[in-house]
Amino acid sequence: MQIMNNYFRARASMVYMMTNNEVMNQIIAFYKDMNGLLTFMASYPTYGKGTGTKEVSTALRNDGIDPLQSQGSLTLSSDGRFLFAVNAGSNSISSFMVTENGRLIFADVKLSGGAQPNSIGVFGNLLYVSNVGDAANHFASNISGFYIEENGHLLPIPGSNRSLSTINAQPAQVLFTPNGSKIIIPELTTNHLSIFNVNKNGTVTGPMINESNGNMPFGSYFLSSGLLLVTEVGSNALSSYSLSDNGILHVISGSIPTGQKATCWVTASKNERFAYATNTFSGTITIYRISGSGALTVAGHNSSTPAGTPTGLPMNIEVSQDGRYLYTLNGNQGTVSVFNIQDDGSLVRLQVAAWTNFPYFGSQGLAVL
């Protein structure tokens, strides 16, 4: 099915972040100029609730930073026409249409099919959300599927709800393979990478359970070649894998350490020669070189915010569509750090953009258009 959005006419250059506010979750929109710099444009309610600084599980230390414990809480469709957000405080997900100037039009809010949704993966007109669950109320960790309709409304897929490897597996992300045939779910509490096959009707079968090479798999990212990158917050490392058609992962580089603290989120340069992982409690970004075979080596580190200023703790991380700029959300500030990506993969900081005059604590989610 071809997704259509009648409001979409041109590709604006935007960066979106999510407040995760416990009273009313909001999306913050920044306009991105030709030099990669950000200017606050507008805020949009999701008509759902975030969790604020309340964390969705006890898998990681409870300090109000990284409250959703996930990558992909704010997700754009691949064509840039729709934006999707989780509302972990009200067990729902929201959808927006993206207009030609980057402004958002609220489209829909639907129950997520579980408790405490924390990540969204999209492929074509198919959307899957991971739910952390809520042991106190007997909600298990699961995933649930939706069709994205032409107007951005979300239609639950009958029979799409699937449990993970255990009832409290703590999913950290929903990630489709590049061809959309499978979904990868890193599980924080089990050290599993659960893989589901996607059926033609949008339901899934599985999981095929793979062991993570390192402790507490968290963020993941696919290169166009099919190479899978997975951070390990327990090991403070990054691993690379190949994936066979039968859902078995094969380690290429196993747990290459950052030497930093709380290695959680990961993305890659557009030329796929470099990977970038955020080390939240060190306030740094680690740069990895990716060889032609998928092997990883550490190339250096950058601080998210300038020396002599309040330390920003980087979380979600994304690269611009043109490959020139890297953006990371500082979750303890609600700010976005902007970097220019050099030819050798190194980073030059350009800006720390803010949407409020005071530090905003509890934000999570970043999407770059």
Side-chain angles (χ1 to χ4, degrees), residues 3 39-40 42 65 97 151 158 166 175 211 263 267 276 298 311 352:
I3 299 175
T39 305
F40 169 74
I65 300 164
M97 291 183 286
N151 56 5
T166 67
L175 182 67
E211 295 297 322
T263 305
T267 191
Y276 301 95
V298 172
T311 300
V352 180

Side-chain angles (χ1 to χ4, degrees), residues 5 14-18 26-29 44 46 73-86 93-99 102-108 120 122 127 148 152 154 365-369:
N5 168 358
M14 302 292 298
V15 172
Y16 303 100
M17 61 164 279
M18 188 170 73
Q26 289 182 302
I27 308 303
I28 305 300
Y44 302 91
T46 66
S73 56
L74 188 65
T75 303
L76 282 158
S77 60
S78 60
D79 58 11
R81 297 180 177 189
F82 298 102
L83 181 71
F84 306 96
V86 301
I93 56 176
S94 299
S95 60
F96 296 85
M97 291 183 286
V98 181
T99 66
R103 295 186 180 274
L104 302 177
I105 296 175
F106 176 77
D108 199 8
I120 290 173
V122 177
L127 179 152
I148 305 166
L154 300 171
L366 187 74
V368 177
L369 180 63

Side-chain angles (χ1 to χ4, degrees), residues 165-205:
S165 69
T166 67
I167 61 171
N168 61 344
Q170 172 65 74
Q173 190 175 2
V174 179
L175 182 67
F176 279 89
T177 55
N179 64 5
S181 66
K182 293 179 176 62
I183 292 173
I184 314 293
I185 313 287
E187 298 179 0
L188 269 175
T189 59
T190 63
N191 294 335
H192 291 159
L193 297 168
S194 284
I195 298 182
F196 293 84
N197 285 310
V198 179
N199 303 318
K200 289 183 178 179
N201 65 356
T203 62
V204 296
T205 53

Side-chain angles (χ1 to χ4, degrees), residues 56-344:
V56 294
S57 96
T58 57
L60 300 174
R61 73 189 196 188
N62 188 7
D63 52 16
I65 300 164
D66 181 18
L68 303 180
Q69 297 180 7
S70 67
Q71 181 164 319
S73 56
L74 188 65
T75 303
L76 282 158
S77 60
S78 60
D79 58 11
R81 297 180 177 189
F82 298 102
L83 181 71
F84 306 96
V86 301
N87 304 301
S90 54
N91 301 333
S92 65
I93 56 176
S94 299
S95 60
F96 296 85
M97 291 183 286
V98 181
T99 66
E100 60 179 340
N101 60 7
R103 295 186 180 274
L104 302 177
I105 296 175
F106 176 77
D108 199 8
V109 60
K110 285 287 197 312
L111 290 175
S112 66
Q116 300 191 121
N118 70 339
S119 180
I120 290 173
V122 177
F123 184 86
N125 72 321
L126 196 59
L127 179 152
Y128 265 82
V129 57
S130 60
N131 293 287
V132 173
D134 184 349
N137 293 309
H138 306 292
F139 281 97
S141 297
N142 69 9
I143 59 172
S144 191
F146 296 80
Y147 293 121
I148 305 166
E149 299 190 292
E150 292 183 2
N151 56 5
H153 286 192
L154 300 171
L155 183 66
I157 301 172
S160 65
N161 200 300
R162 285 287 180 273
S163 297
L164 300 179
S165 69
T166 67
I167 61 171
N168 61 344
Q170 172 65 74
Q173 190 175 2
V174 179
L175 182 67
F176 279 89
T177 55
N179 64 5
S181 66
K182 293 179 176 62
I183 292 173
I184 314 293
I185 313 287
E187 298 179 0
L188 269 175
T189 59
T190 63
N191 294 335
H192 291 159
L193 297 168
S194 284
I195 298 182
F196 293 84
N197 285 310
V198 179
N199 303 318
K200 289 183 178 179
N201 65 356
T203 62
V204 296
T205 53
M208 169 73 71
I209 297 169
N210 292 262
E211 295 297 322
S212 169
N213 189 81
N215 190 31
M216 301 181 76
F218 190 102
S220 53
Y221 185 90
F222 269 112
L223 303 189
S224 60
S225 63
L227 184 80
L228 176 65
L229 304 174
V230 182
T231 60
E232 298 146 4
V233 62
S235 305
N236 292 310
L238 183 67
S239 291
S240 61
Y241 302 83
S242 62
L243 173 61
S244 60
D245 290 340
N246 62 1
I248 302 297
L249 290 169
H250 306 276
V251 177
I252 297 174
S253 276
S255 302
I256 308 301
T258 60
Q260 308 286 296
K261 297 177 182 177
T263 305
C264 292
W265 287 265
V266 64
T267 191
S269 61
K270 291 299 178 183
N271 64 14
E272 303 188 342
R273 293 171 51 211
F274 304 98
Y276 301 95
T278 55
N279 309 294
T280 304
F281 294 133
S282 295
T284 60
I285 301 165
T286 296
I287 305 162
Y288 285 88
R289 290 190 186 90
I290 307 172
S291 76
S293 65
L296 305 172
T297 53
V298 172
H301 312 280
N302 280 78
S303 61
S304 185
T305 47
T309 66
T311 300
L313 303 183
M315 301 195 337
N316 307 80
I317 189 166
E318 297 279 344
V319 172
S320 62
Q321 299 296 323
D322 62 10
R324 296 171 60 197
Y325 304 102
L326 180 140
Y327 300 87
T328 187
L329 170 68
N330 299 300
N332 63 323
Q333 299 177 347
T335 60
V336 178
S337 293
V338 182
F339 296 85
N340 182 227
I341 300 174
Q342 306 296 292
D343 289 344
D344 63 356

